[in-house]
Amino acid sequence: MLKGIGASEGYGIGKVMLVEEHSLEYTPKVVTDTEAEIKRYKDAVDTFVQQTMEQAEALKSSAGEKEAEIMQGHIAIIMDPFMGGEIEKLVAAGTCAEAAVEQMCDMFIGIFSATDDDLTRQRAADVKDIKTAMLSILLGIKEVKISDAPAGTVLVAKEVTPSMTAGINKENIVGIITETGSQTSHSAILARAMEIPAVLSVPNVLSQLSSGERVIVDGSAGEIITAPTDEQAAEYETKREAFLREKRELELYRGKKTVSASGEEYELCCNIGSPKDAGKAMDSDGEGVGLFRTEFLFMDRTSLPTEDEQFDAYKAAAQILKGKPLIIRTLDIGGDKEIPYLGLEKEENPFMGFRAIRYCLKNRDMFKSQIKAILRASAFGDVRIMFPLITALEELREGKALVEEAKNDLRNSGIAFNENIPVGVMTETAASGVIADLLAKEADFFSIGTNDLTGYTMACDRGNSDVSYLYSPFQPSVLRMIKSIIENGRKNNIPVGMCGEAAANPMMIPLLMSFGLTEFSVSSVSVLKVRKNISKWTKAEADAVAEKVMAMETEKEITEYLSSII
Ligand code: PEP
Ligand code: MG
């Protein structure tokens, strides 16, 4: 048996498909038969063009015309007569095709990356993609195609990236196993959103399993059963059925309000990453969106989305929500969320570095265009703006000033928006927790991001399995932080929600009810479960639990007690 972190509940029994990253290293050769080498290069170009055309076709139906156009652009670059001509000249002079392609691509990447113009810099990312694909073809590396995975497949990869998810067919993938990640890494969030059982952070799992091998993924316990016996397979099949039965029972909570056993009402919203997810949020009976992670609109492409493209996405989400609240978080890049075409420099400490609101306030044109897009969407629903990673009051003030500037621009152009759009703070840093009293006077709402708040309070990287024993929202320090944020929000009459993963934790729910949280924002799949859990507690019971917990001294004591009473 292999152990990891159970990051998406449920049980999957199936056959392993390893998704490995291949090395593109080769030993450059001096070519004597240059004609044959030029032919090898030209054949590789033909294969590249055919592959890319197929990918563009597939993208057209899964992601849309615009993404498909990016792929078609790659064909134009590789067919460019100058580029092709220079590569052929290098080969004719004795350079092998791999080295010639690499040399030319690197030259273009260097030129494009060195400019100040965003669009030109984004071309560098295109050329990088082309280089990787061409070298893979020339080196004869066969990429595993996730979209071709047969029914009953367990995906095993270093990590699940958003681009990989595009290829996942939910019907065929019965489990996910990764080497890295934690409860709150994006691999986990994506697995939960797709309702696929997942076990993450299994050390060296890629070298421990082989393709075709039968395994059981226990996403609830965080275990992988290798070479299962027939008895084990039958036992897990029973567990799987019971799990699915419980899911059906939760349906009783569909269409109901979110109320405690003593009648207090709460708002129960969803976390989303795209307009499509807004549909899922509504299908799951969410009462709105408490967190729209906009960085997914910026990922998996090679250039910044324009103001209009963003407006279309935000407006589409607002329209799907039909007047229900939609909290749009401004770009939260950095840390574990990379956007290659922005060309951000590698940092020693990316989680503490130039990211999120810090990056946005220094890239004002880009930030303003996002804010304008959000403002324009506010004419189509109850749209609200939220800033991530706030650590100082000035950041909130500067962000709000930019919102005012953007409003002015729109007013001057006669474009409609909500003049009273609420602007809130994502309280997810230790600093924002400590100055919650100051922030609450100038923010229209708070949303507690426990994923980062836990990390920043505990000085503990959420993706690092060596320190995961410290990473818990039930640490007394984190609970005090959460309580204080909620109390400061209440004192200043602003609503306080929670959009971190802890909001869906049944052990956390009575504490949050007692502290006075007004909104829970969870992944769509958790909506009914959270509603059921809230309905179990009266306010007085929740207060009694909270009082006991807040007097405890260690995380162990707290979690042992809470797990004994839920
Ligand atoms: C958080 O930090 O709690 C959060 C919800 O944001 P993200 O997971 O996107 O960092
Ligand atoms: Mg965060």
Side-chain angles (χ1 to χ4, degrees):
M1 187 179 74
L2 304 174
K3 287 269 316 156
I5 296 171
S8 176
E9 284 185 299
Y11 307 89
I13 307 173
K15 290 199 173 150
V16 167
M17 179 192 210
L18 292 184
V19 185
E20 289 179 274
E21 285 166 17
H22 295 281
S23 152
L24 292 176
E25 274 175 27
Y26 61 91
T27 318
K29 290 179 297 225
V30 178
V31 175
T32 43
D33 188 349
T34 53
E35 255 174 50
E37 190 68 356
I38 287 178
K39 180 168 182 312
R40 195 165 78 85
Y41 161 70
K42 285 187 170 163
D43 287 348
V45 171
D46 289 347
T47 310
F48 173 86
V49 170
Q50 201 194 330
Q51 258 179 20
T52 311
M53 272 183 350
E54 283 167 14
Q55 283 169 350
E57 248 343 277
L59 268 178
K60 230 183 240 174
S61 45
S62 67
E65 290 280 343
K66 288 200 179 102
E67 273 65 25
E69 274 168 26
I70 295 174
M71 297 307 293
Q72 279 148 0
H74 287 190
I75 298 178
I77 295 176
I78 199 72
M79 302 288 274
D80 179 84
F82 175 73
M83 172 120 161
E86 291 300 306
I87 291 175
E88 284 183 34
K89 267 192 223 162
L90 283 168
V91 177
T95 312
C96 67
E98 287 87 351
V101 166
E102 184 157 37
Q103 210 171 309
M104 277 313 288
C105 287
D106 284 349
M107 187 190 88
F108 279 110
I109 294 166
I111 295 171
F112 291 152
S113 314
T115 61
D116 285 336
D117 173 46
D118 267 350
L119 269 177
T120 313
R121 273 211 309 270
Q122 286 141 29
R123 307 295 288 180
D126 286 318
V127 182
K128 266 187 206 155
D129 277 357
I130 294 169
K131 178 174 119 176
T132 307
M134 280 295 291
L135 285 178
S136 301
I137 296 167
L138 286 165
L139 295 168
I141 293 167
K142 294 249 173 304
E143 292 293 337
V144 184
K145 272 179 117 183
I146 297 173
S147 53
D148 290 346
T153 295
V154 173
L155 268 191
V156 182
K158 193 158 176 50
E159 67 170 320
V160 178
T161 60
S163 59
M164 272 166 75
T165 30
I168 290 181
N169 172 355
K170 246 182 75 175
E171 307 308 316
N172 292 356
I173 308 295
V174 296
I176 292 175
I177 306 172
T178 66
E179 275 189 7
T180 60
S182 69
Q183 271 290 349
T184 47
S185 65
H186 285 88
S187 296
I189 291 165
L190 294 167
R192 280 196 290 276
M194 291 185 295
E195 300 184 46
I196 300 176
V199 179
L200 311 187
S201 204
V202 186
N204 305 317
V205 71
L206 281 165
S207 54
Q208 300 200 56
L209 297 176
S210 355
S211 284
E213 173 179 352
R214 192 175 183 222
V215 291
I216 297 174
V217 180
D218 180 345
S220 305
E223 291 170 359
I224 298 146
I225 291 90
T226 50
T229 60
D230 288 347
E231 288 80 48
Q232 280 175 315
E235 178 199 334
Y236 276 91
E237 186 51 37
T238 313
K239 280 192 182 181
R240 199 179 74 86
E241 280 162 15
F243 175 78
L244 296 174
R245 193 171 335 111
E246 195 209 326
K247 254 180 143 173
R248 284 195 294 276
E249 279 163 17
L250 284 176
E251 286 303 311
L252 296 174
Y253 290 85
R254 188 175 288 281
K256 305 269 164 54
K257 283 189 171 169
T258 304
V259 276
S260 70
S262 47
E264 289 81 12
E265 244 184 74
Y266 297 89
E267 219 180 333
L268 179 51
C269 295
C270 292
N271 297 343
I272 66 168
S274 67
K276 212 164 103 209
D277 289 350
K280 264 194 231 158
M282 292 300 93
D283 293 346
S284 323
D285 212 26
E287 298 161 26
V289 165
L291 169 64
F292 183 163
R293 290 184 164 95
T294 57
E295 45 285 357
F296 288 110
L297 294 176
F298 290 69
M299 287 171 164
D300 287 335
R301 47 183 295 146
T302 50
S303 59
L304 278 176
T306 62
E307 180 187 315
D308 280 346
E309 281 174 315
Q310 292 189 64
F311 166 62
D312 288 345
Y314 307 149
K315 176 182 162 192
Q319 285 178 325
I320 292 169
L321 293 186
K322 297 196 173 77
K324 290 182 174 153
L326 169 62
I327 299 180
I328 303 181
R329 176 178 73 184
T330 57
L331 186 61
D332 184 26
I333 38 138
D336 60 346
K337 298 164 199 142
E338 269 189 56
I339 301 182
Y341 60 82
L342 290 181
L344 284 174
E345 281 183 20
K346 281 260 171 278
E347 298 176 298
E348 286 275 326
N349 267 313
F351 281 94
M352 305 224 176
F354 189 43
R355 55 169 299 206
I357 190 78
R358 303 168 182 183
Y359 178 85
C360 288
L361 288 172
K362 289 279 178 325
N363 289 276
R364 291 171 69 88
D365 288 348
M366 184 205 78
F367 196 22
K368 196 155 137 190
S369 104
Q370 179 172 41
I371 291 173
K372 277 165 110 175
I374 300 174
L375 283 168
R376 286 166 61 191
S378 71
F380 298 87
D382 179 359
V383 174
R384 307 171 193 180
I385 300 179
M386 176 158 75
F387 297 135
L389 205 85
I390 294 286
T391 50
L393 197 53
E394 291 94 320
E395 291 168 334
L396 172 60
R397 288 182 180 159
E398 264 188 65
K400 283 176 70 173
L402 203 61
V403 172
E404 288 312 311
E405 253 183 54
K407 282 184 183 173
N408 240 335
D409 290 356
L410 294 179
R411 240 176 253 127
N412 291 340
S413 317
I415 297 173
F417 63 91
N418 173 12
E419 286 280 357
N420 300 313
I421 190 165
V423 180
V425 164
M426 188 151 175
T427 41
E428 56 176 340
T429 60
S432 68
V434 175
I435 58 161
D437 57 329
L438 306 178
L439 293 169
K441 293 191 175 61
E442 302 188 26
D444 295 319
F445 63 89
F446 281 162
S447 183
I448 307 176
T450 46
N451 306 344
D452 277 318
L453 184 65
T454 305
Y456 288 126
T457 303
M458 294 303 297
C460 172
D461 175 354
R462 59 163 124 158
N464 182 341
S465 42
D466 289 336
V467 290
S468 60
Y469 71 99
L470 284 172
Y471 183 87
S472 162
F474 296 102
Q475 288 282 356
S477 55
V478 184
L479 288 178
R480 287 183 195 192
M481 201 69 104
I482 293 172
K483 185 167 187 249
S484 149
I485 292 168
I486 299 174
E487 280 173 358
N488 278 300
R490 287 176 72 87
K491 262 188 225 150
N492 289 282
N493 292 318
I494 60 166
V496 183
M498 179 176 284
C499 58
E501 297 294 303
N505 189 322
M507 301 202 288
M508 188 61 89
I509 285 171
L511 305 181
L512 298 176
M513 292 169 73
S514 171
F515 297 160
L517 195 84
T518 49
E519 175 236 24
F520 293 72
S521 192
V522 301
S523 81
S524 296
V525 289
S526 302
V527 167
L528 298 180
K529 216 187 276 181
V530 171
R531 188 171 289 148
K532 179 180 170 187
N533 277 313
I534 290 177
S535 78
K536 282 195 208 161
W537 300 95
T538 64
K539 177 69 170 46
E541 286 163 351
D543 285 344
V545 171
E547 202 184 317
K548 247 186 154 147
V549 164
M550 295 313 279
M552 291 179 176
E553 293 170 350
T554 64
E555 194 261 356
K556 187 163 180 279
E557 206 184 339
I558 292 170
T559 47
E560 274 174 10
Y561 164 65
L562 287 172
S563 56
S564 74
I565 58 158
I566 58 158

